[in-house]
């Protein structure tokens, strides 16, 4: 079973951090190894599954250069947390 990395912006909304925590907790409870990552981007050499909670925060609030962000987009699955019709949803759709 592949391990799960769950990324969330360290300076983002506290509720998004809670969602990321819950995903990690649910994965562990079902037997999948999982780690919450609040300081880092998806590694290019990882065999782990990389989820990004609230990508509109993670990609916009991070201080990574454009190359790192572009790689992260290709190495991760966005976990969309916003409602359609909001500007945050539109930002997430672009990242997805």
């Amino acid at each position: 079973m592949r391990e799960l990395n769950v990324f969330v912006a360290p300076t983002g909304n506290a509720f998004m951090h809670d969602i990321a925590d819950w995903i990690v907790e649910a994965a562990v409870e079902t037997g999948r190894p999982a780690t919450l990552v609040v300081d880092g981007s998806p590694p290019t050499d990882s065999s782990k599954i990389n989820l990004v909670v609230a990508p509109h925060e993670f990609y916009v609030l991070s201080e990574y250069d454009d190359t790192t962000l572009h790689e992260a987009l290709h190495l991760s699955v966005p976990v969309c947390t916003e409602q359609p019709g909001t500007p945050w949803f539109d930002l997430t759709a672009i990242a997805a």
Side-chain angles (χ1 to χ4, degrees):
M1 185 177 295
R2 289 173 62 192
E3 186 171 341
L4 184 67
N5 282 332
V6 181
F7 294 84
V8 66
T11 58
N13 181 316
F15 184 60
M16 301 308 163
H17 195 284
D18 289 344
I19 292 171
D21 279 332
W22 296 330
I23 292 170
V24 169
E25 181 181 340
V28 170
E29 285 185 9
T30 60
R32 181 179 297 274
T35 304
L36 179 66
V37 183
V38 295
D39 189 22
S41 66
T44 58
D45 62 347
S46 176
S47 62
K48 299 176 182 178
I49 298 169
N50 300 303
L51 302 181
V52 175
V53 173
H56 67 288
E57 289 187 356
F58 182 80
Y59 296 117
V60 173
L61 297 177
S62 70
E63 296 182 10
Y64 300 115
D65 59 55
D66 288 345
T67 300
T68 302
L69 290 175
H70 185 70
E71 288 175 356
L73 285 167
H74 291 292
L75 298 167
S76 60
V77 177
V79 178
C80 303
T81 55
E82 299 296 339
Q83 297 79 24
T86 66
W88 302 279
F89 179 88
D90 294 340
L91 287 171
T92 296
I94 291 168

